[in-house]
Amino acid sequence: MIEYCPPPDNCNDYMIVFDTDQLDKKYYKPDHLPDDFKINNLQIEVTYRITEEKHNCGFGGDVPVIHIIKIRKL
């Protein structure tokens, strides 16, 4: 799922969220997200690889940066 994370958490960007359950959400910052996917709560299927980079989200801490290989809307 795509989720917009607004300030003050310092993310101020769209994140890809994997939620195995409501209490265990995993946030990833895509290194590039096409504009037509910048829709809050958009359900997606994505193939990616994790990079060595981290993105600082303020109070949320550092999140891994991912490189999108393939993405599609569900």
Side-chain angles (χ1 to χ4, degrees), residues 8-10 56-61:
D9 284 38
N10 197 33
N56 184 283
C57 279
F59 297 120

Side-chain angles (χ1 to χ4, degrees), residues 5-15 27-30 51-66:
C5 297
D9 284 38
N10 197 33
C11 284
N12 196 26
D13 210 343
Y14 289 89
M15 307 291 279
Y27 287 84
Y28 295 89
K29 167 78 171 88
T51 70
E52 297 292 320
E53 298 175 56
K54 301 285 185 195
H55 178 74
N56 184 283
C57 279
F59 297 120
D62 290 341
V63 296
V65 175
I66 60 173

